[in-house]
């Protein structure tokens, strides 16, 4: 592979005009496609196979036009101090608001609080329920604006009015956080390279890759039902790996220049060696993202595949556009150790100290750290493992759930509506359960409906059970159940399972099927689906990546160490998330207003994203060690050599990723805040504790055994030559035609 990529790098360097033209044409084509494509709303949300989804599908068949999975909103009214909502003026204001809401094109029904008995016992709070034809993720902005306008009109009339429900769900705005991440990345790259031009290449190519990927997603959004949320993950991951991959190749190019090679040769060798690491690092990311399909949540699968496409584009850009841009830059890209004139460079480095005693330059920080670890591997290993183990302890108390309006900041209307409903009707009123009774096969449907209601009334944590509402055919009915606990509590989850358990007994007695649905039940089912899929997903991703890394490193223990180290860093990061967002540690510093269950998507999302980035750092750092070992260095010295060349780049890449993800911590959305914090902490643990401390300590302890591979497996595996051994052989033949020199092989 190194030889093939070496040829690509040299070709791109020579034919830079052609390569640049191709990428500009692709960016233009994707942009035109995105601009001319029909506008797409948010993608539809379904969870095939869950009981809540089966109930929604059944309601669509038995209650035509009901839009069971359609968006809903509750416009909550509170009377001024000393007044009641039943007062004449207040009642007139509410009914005017109801009339205004009914005029919406996507509205199916609006319940008048005074006819629907939606006024609290003390008469101070009332609410109007609004139902829409489409889900909250598909609702048009015009409908949301009309909802907000109606609330404002009632507010102007003197009432306290807040709006809750999933009708206000919208894609979170992340543009400002991405800008912060890019700004920090620019600073880190300038410090790393000592050159504005060299620092600009990773940013430029990453933005081009993200532009092509996101534009393509936008162009295909309507046809493939991708929606506006799909591009969020693609842009985040595409920007992250795009900067990383370009950073790796530009850094290697400057190292090759420092060894005295011509620029075209240096570009070819940079793509042949660092490019090989980029290819395999990219493959691990693709495995992690495409592997999200095992969860069997269509929206998550589409997000993973779309992000994987953006990663593939980032790999291709790094292998072709980066060497082309290096060709354009010419001598303005300096070898490692030299700075540009703008940053104080231009003077040749002196070999020796200022006093001129001919001493060697002081080793860089990566060399000094690796030398220390090689001398004290046991102490470093124990300290790293114990530290991460301690951080992972809170993960044993992990509780998963999906956030509701109660997790919103108190400054939002959704949270204030949630609090008003809890105040007037009890906490469980914010998460009603819809029980669907399918009595089509029952000899006595009405009796079955009554029995279901009676059974549910006898359950713990039930406040209200409404009478069954049958359809026109009389074979299906819906029953609304109001729990006594808030929607995200484990008590409500236990109630859902209890109703489903009673349903099995009712089915055997009456032949009627009982299904529990609604947003609360759907959240519970989604959390369960994600929880059940976590271990299979881990096995698939880690297993495939383990096999891939065996091919890359031609070792069994190094890939095993990489996988175990990743699991340790992810568990530590989950522990930190639990401590902050579930236990409330440092919640004030992180501006976490409401603690509660960790978002159910968090573990799988963290595994997928962090695994890809962790393997980036692993491949780039350890391939340098492998390269040095294959070329004759002792195991301990190979570790130091790998750090001398790779530690600075890996540290820079990690700092950039931490900055990108940390930008999301400032979001007002608790879900986005949690994702940003979790990913930033996970990258910190994995890059600076696992890859920078535990990995060299383990390799130092293993010595030559780290690179052991059974002979039968060595013969069976393809030789992909990631460390550039083929390039070294070609150079030897050129410089030593008699072939007397031999490479030291592992």
């Amino acid at each position: 592979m190194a030889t093939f990529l070496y040829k690509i790098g040299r070709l791109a360097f020579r034919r830079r005009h052609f390569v640049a033209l191709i990428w500009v044409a692709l960016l233009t084509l994707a942009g035109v496609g995105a601009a001319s494509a029909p506008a797409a709303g948010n993608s539809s949300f379904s969870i095939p196979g869950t009981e809540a989804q089966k109930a929604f599908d059944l309601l669509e068949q038995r209650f035509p036009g009901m839009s069971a999975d359609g968006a809903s909103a509750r416009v909550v009214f509170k009377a001024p101090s000393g007044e009641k909502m039943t007062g004449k003026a207040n009642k007139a204001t509410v009914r005017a608001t109801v009339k205004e809401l009914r005029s919406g094109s996507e509205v199916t029904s609006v319940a008048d609080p005074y006819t629907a008995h939606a006024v609290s016992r003390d008469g101070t709070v009332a609410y109007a329920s609004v139902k829409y034809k489409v889900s909250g993720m598909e609702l048009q902005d015009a409908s949301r604006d009309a909802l907000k306008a109606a609330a404002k009109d009632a507010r102007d009339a003197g009432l306290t009015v807040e709006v809750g429900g999933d009708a206000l769900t919208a894609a979170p705005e992340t543009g400002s956080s991405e800008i912060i991440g890019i700004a920090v990345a620019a600073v880190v790259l300038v410090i790393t390279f000592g050159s504005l031009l060299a620092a600009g290449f990773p940013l430029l190519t990453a933005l081009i890759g993200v532009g092509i990927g996101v534009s393509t997603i936008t162009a295909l959004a309507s046809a493939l039902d991708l929606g506006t949320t799909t591009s969020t993950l693609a842009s985040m991951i595409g920007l992250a790996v795009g900067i990383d991959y370009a950073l790796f190749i530009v850094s290697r190019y400057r190292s090759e220049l420092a060894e005295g090679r011509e620029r075209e040769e240096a570009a070819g060798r940079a793509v042949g060696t660092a490019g090989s690491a980029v290819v395999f690092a990219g493959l691990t990311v693709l495995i992690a993202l495409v592997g999200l399909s095992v969860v069997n949540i269509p929206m998550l699968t589409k997000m993973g595949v779309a992000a994987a496409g953006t990663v593939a584009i980032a790999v291709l850009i790094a292998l072709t556009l980066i060497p082309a841009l290096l060709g354009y830059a010419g001598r303005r890209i300096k070898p490692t150790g030299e700075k540009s004139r703008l940053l104080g460079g231009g003077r040749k480095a002196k070999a020796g100290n200022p006093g001129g005693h001919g001493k060697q330059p002081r080793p860089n920080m990566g060399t000094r750290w690796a030398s220390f670890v090689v001398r004290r591997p046991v102490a470093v290993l124990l300290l790293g493992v114990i530290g991460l183990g301690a951080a992972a302890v809170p993960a044993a108390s992990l509780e998963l759930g999906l956030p509701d309006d109660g997790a919103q900041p108190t400054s939002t209307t959704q949270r204030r509506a949630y609090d008003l409903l809890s105040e007037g009707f009890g906490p469980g009123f914010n998460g009603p359960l819809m029980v669907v009774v399918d009595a089509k096969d029952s000899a006595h449907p009405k009796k079955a409906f009554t029995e279901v209601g009676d059974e549910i009334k006898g359950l713990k944590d039930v406040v209200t059970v409404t009478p069954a509402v049958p359809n026109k055919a009389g074979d299906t009915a819906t029953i609304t159940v109001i729990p006594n606990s808030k929607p995200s509590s484990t008590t409500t989850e236990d109630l859902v399972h209890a109703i489903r358990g009673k349903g099995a007994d009712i089915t055997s007695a009456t032949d009627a099927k009982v299904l529990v649905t609604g947003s609360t039940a759907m959240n519970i089912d989604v959390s369960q689906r994600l929880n059940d899929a976590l271990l299979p997903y881990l096995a698939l991703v880690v297993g495939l990546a383990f096999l891939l890394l065996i091919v890359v490193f031609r070792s069994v223990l190094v890939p095993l160490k990489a996988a175990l180290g990743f699991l340790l860093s992810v568990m530590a990061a989950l522990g930190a998330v639990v401590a902050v967002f579930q236990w409330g540690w440092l919640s004030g510093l992180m501006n976490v207003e409401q603690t509660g269950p960790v978002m159910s998507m968090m573990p799988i999302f963290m595994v997928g994203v962090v695994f890809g980035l962790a393997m980036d750092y692993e491949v780039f750092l350890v391939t340098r060690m492998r390269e040095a070992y294959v070329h004759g260095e002792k195991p301990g010295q190979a570790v130091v050599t790998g750090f001398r060349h790779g530690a600075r780049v890996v540290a820079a890449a990690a700092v950039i990723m931490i900055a990108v993800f940390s930008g999301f911590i400032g979001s007002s959305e608790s879900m986005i805040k949690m994702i940003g914090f979790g990913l930033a902490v996970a990258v910190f643990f994995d890059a600076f504790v696992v890859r920078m401390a535990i990995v060299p300590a383990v390799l130092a302890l293993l010595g030559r055994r780290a690179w052991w591979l059974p002979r039968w497996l060595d013969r069976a595996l393809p030789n992909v030559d990631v460390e550039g051994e083929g390039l070294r052989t070609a150079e030897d033949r050129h410089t030593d035609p008699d072939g007397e020199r031999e490479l030291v092989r592992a």
Side-chain angles (χ1 to χ4, degrees), residues 377-684:
V378 175
V380 172
L381 178 61
L382 288 177
L383 186 62
V385 171
I386 292 173
L388 290 181
V393 168
S397 303
L398 177 66
E399 295 178 7
L400 297 178
L402 287 177
D404 53 25
D405 287 346
Q408 297 273 5
T410 53
S411 59
T412 63
T413 185
Q414 295 99 315
R415 173 61 185 274
R416 292 195 292 264
Y418 181 98
D419 292 341
L420 284 177
L421 288 172
S422 296
E423 174 188 330
F425 301 93
F429 201 78
N430 285 288
L433 306 176
M434 180 183 289
V435 178
V436 182
V437 185
D438 179 8
K440 189 174 183 179
D441 298 329
S442 176
H444 305 285
K446 291 183 179 180
K447 181 181 177 182
F449 300 155
T450 303
E451 285 190 18
V452 172
D454 292 341
E455 288 285 351
I456 294 174
K457 287 177 183 177
L459 294 175
K460 185 180 178 182
D461 197 48
V462 173
V463 174
T464 304
V465 178
T466 64
V469 179
N471 62 350
K472 291 182 179 180
D475 59 2
T476 308
T478 60
I479 300 173
T480 300
V481 179
I482 306 298
N484 189 43
S485 51
K486 63 182 183 179
S488 60
S489 68
T490 54
T491 308
T492 300
E493 183 177 349
D494 292 340
L495 175 60
V496 170
H497 294 314
I499 295 173
R500 288 172 174 171
K502 287 290 184 181
D505 297 334
I506 293 170
T507 299
S508 61
T510 65
D511 293 325
K513 298 177 182 177
V514 178
L515 304 172
V516 184
T517 188
S519 59
T520 301
M522 178 65 84
N523 288 348
I524 292 170
D525 286 351
V526 170
S527 298
Q528 188 63 48
R529 170 68 64 82
L530 290 165
N531 194 36
D532 292 343
L534 182 58
L535 287 180
Y537 177 68
L538 262 177
L540 174 68
V541 171
V542 176
L544 289 177
F546 178 76
L547 296 176
L548 185 66
L549 292 179
I550 288 179
V551 176
V552 173
F553 297 127
R554 306 197 75 78
S555 164
V556 174
L557 297 179
V558 170
L560 181 61
K561 173 264 309 170
L564 293 177
F566 158 74
L567 293 176
L568 189 58
S569 61
V570 166
M571 290 303 298
L574 279 176
V577 170
V578 170
V580 173
F581 292 91
Q582 189 174 308
W583 291 0
W585 293 5
L586 302 178
S587 57
L589 181 64
M590 296 295 170
N591 197 26
V592 178
E593 296 186 10
Q594 182 70 38
T595 59
V598 172
M599 183 183 64
S600 54
M601 197 178 294
M602 190 69 193
I604 277 188
F605 189 79
M606 184 181 292
V607 167
V609 175
V610 177
F611 182 79
L613 295 176
M615 293 305 104
D616 282 358
Y617 307 144
E618 174 77 15
V619 169
F620 188 76
L621 194 60
V622 180
T623 48
R624 273 290 196 162
M625 301 177 191
R626 168 74 181 175
E627 180 180 345
Y629 178 73
V630 166
H631 293 154
E633 293 187 6
K634 293 181 179 180
Q637 184 58 40
V639 171
V640 176
T641 299
F643 265 74
R644 182 171 69 249
H645 293 295
R648 181 182 179 90
V649 179
V650 169
V655 169
I656 290 170
M657 292 309 99
I658 292 170
V660 171
F661 295 139
S662 295
F664 292 88
I665 297 177
S667 173
S668 60
E669 291 285 338
S670 61
M671 182 175 67
I672 299 299
K673 185 190 296 288
M674 190 182 297
I675 289 175
F677 174 80
L679 294 181
V681 170
V683 170
F684 173 80

